[in-house]
């Protein structure tokens, strides 16, 4: 794993589109709570050594230990959602902390669906620590488009993966028109909502997601990059 992290960093470190290295997402594949800390330490070391070796000093990229996961402030362990009110099935500060990364990173990264939000006092805590508060995931409106799916068996009993979207809009569209006004309206309204949250501490947001990815159909573009919304 560590050699692969180093190889990816070496391959992409000079890409102008890379502004942040993210070690993990929502606690997936971490093994135990020490793994993100070790991975961030490795990336931090690579960034520092890379600047020393560079002909021209480059700004260090932001580091994010676990986007939307493992619990904000959990350097000694994870937040257990089962210990939250209603076993984490209803909204609470406890479950908001569970869906927030930022233990050993430059940012505090919260996930919430479908709308963006500044959860409880987490943006204030981030500000006190000199970190940006990010909405790392929101949106997730699922909309399949006939003729533009990665695999036509997605969502069927014969396929191991299900069609994924936090909220389904309607049945798949015909091949005659891929544009959808409901998805476009939802995306626009959430962008407007995110803008109103700047005064409350929101420093940036990432809509889920730009494109469909295999059986995940919550993209603004289909798997083969046909637009579902009017980008003009």
């Amino acid at each position: 794993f560590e050699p692969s992290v180093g190889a990816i960093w070496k391959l992409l470190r000079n890409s102008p589109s890379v502004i942040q290295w993210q070690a993990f997402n929502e606690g997936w594949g971490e093994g135990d709570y020490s793994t993100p800390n070790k991975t961030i330490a490795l990336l931090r070391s690579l960034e520092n050594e890379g600047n020393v070796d560079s002909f021209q000093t480059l700004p260090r990229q932001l580091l994010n230990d676990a986007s939307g996961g493992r619990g904000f402030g959990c350097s000694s362990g994870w937040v257990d959602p089962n210990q939250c009110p209603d076993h984490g099935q209803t909204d609470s500060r406890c479950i908001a902390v569970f869906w927030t990364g930022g233990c050993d990173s430059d940012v505090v990264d919260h996930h919430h669906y479908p709308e963006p939000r500044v959860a409880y006092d987490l943006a204030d805590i981030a500000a006190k620590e000199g970190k940006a508060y990010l909405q790392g995931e929101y949106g997730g409106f699922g909309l399949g488009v006939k003729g533009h799916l990665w695999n036509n068996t997605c969502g069927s009993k014969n396929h191991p993966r299900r069609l994924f979207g936090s909220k389904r809009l309607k049945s798949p569209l015909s091949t005659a028109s891929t544009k959808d006004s409901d998805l476009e309206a939802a995306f626009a309204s959430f962008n407007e909502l995110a803008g109103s949250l700047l005064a409350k501490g929101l420093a940036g947001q990432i809509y889920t997601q730009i494109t469909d990815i295999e059986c995940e159909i919550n993209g603004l573009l289909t798997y083969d990059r046909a637009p579902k919304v009017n980008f003009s």
Side-chain angles (χ1 to χ4, degrees):
F1 176 74
E2 290 186 1
S4 296
V5 171
I8 293 171
W9 175 87
K10 185 176 182 180
L11 176 67
L12 300 175
R13 63 181 293 257
N14 290 322
S15 171
S17 63
V18 175
I19 62 170
Q20 175 176 271
W21 297 108
Q22 180 176 309
F24 291 92
N25 179 69
E26 295 185 348
W28 294 8
E30 293 177 8
D32 65 66
Y33 66 84
S34 66
T35 306
N37 296 337
K38 294 177 181 177
T39 306
I40 286 295
L42 172 59
L43 287 168
R44 185 174 287 116
S45 174
L46 289 169
E47 283 286 300
N48 292 336
E49 291 176 7
N51 283 340
V52 171
D53 295 337
S54 296
F55 177 77
Q56 183 177 4
T57 301
L58 301 173
R60 182 176 70 79
Q61 308 292 26
L62 295 172
L63 300 177
N64 188 352
D65 58 354
S67 177
R70 81 183 185 121
F72 179 41
C74 61
S75 58
S76 60
W78 286 303
V79 172
D80 183 358
N82 290 316
Q83 300 301 315
C84 296
D86 298 322
H87 300 283
Q89 297 304 306
T90 57
D91 186 42
S92 66
R93 185 182 184 280
C94 177
I95 201 65
V97 169
F98 172 73
W99 289 113
T100 306
C103 297
D104 184 20
S105 65
D106 297 317
V107 299
V108 171
D109 187 333
H110 178 67
H111 288 187
H112 183 261
Y113 287 96
E115 75 278 2
R117 69 172 185 172
V118 173
Y120 298 89
D121 59 342
L122 300 188
D124 293 334
I125 295 174
K128 289 178 181 178
E129 295 190 0
K131 299 179 179 181
Y133 176 88
L134 305 179
Q135 182 76 61
E137 288 187 20
Y138 72 100
F141 286 96
L143 180 66
V145 181
K146 289 181 179 180
H148 295 272
L149 295 173
W150 171 68
N151 189 313
N152 288 330
T153 63
C154 284
S156 72
K157 294 181 179 180
N158 298 324
H159 197 281
R161 299 190 64 184
R162 63 186 177 87
L163 286 169
F164 177 82
S166 66
K167 183 177 180 181
R168 296 298 296 276
L169 291 173
K170 58 177 66 173
S171 300
L173 305 173
S174 69
T175 56
S177 174
T178 62
K179 305 289 178 61
D180 183 81
S181 58
D182 290 340
L183 177 59
E184 192 170 308
F187 178 64
S189 66
F190 281 177
N191 269 345
E192 184 176 352
L193 176 58
S196 71
L197 296 175
L198 295 176
K200 296 183 178 181
L202 182 66
Q205 79 274 8
I206 300 173
Y207 182 84
T208 304
Q209 54 197 359
I210 301 300
T211 70
D212 289 356
I213 300 176
E214 297 183 353
C215 285
E216 294 185 1
I217 56 168
N218 48 12
L220 298 175
L221 300 168
T222 66
Y223 185 76
D224 57 351
R225 305 307 189 259
K228 300 181 189 179
V229 298
N230 186 351
F231 287 98
S232 62

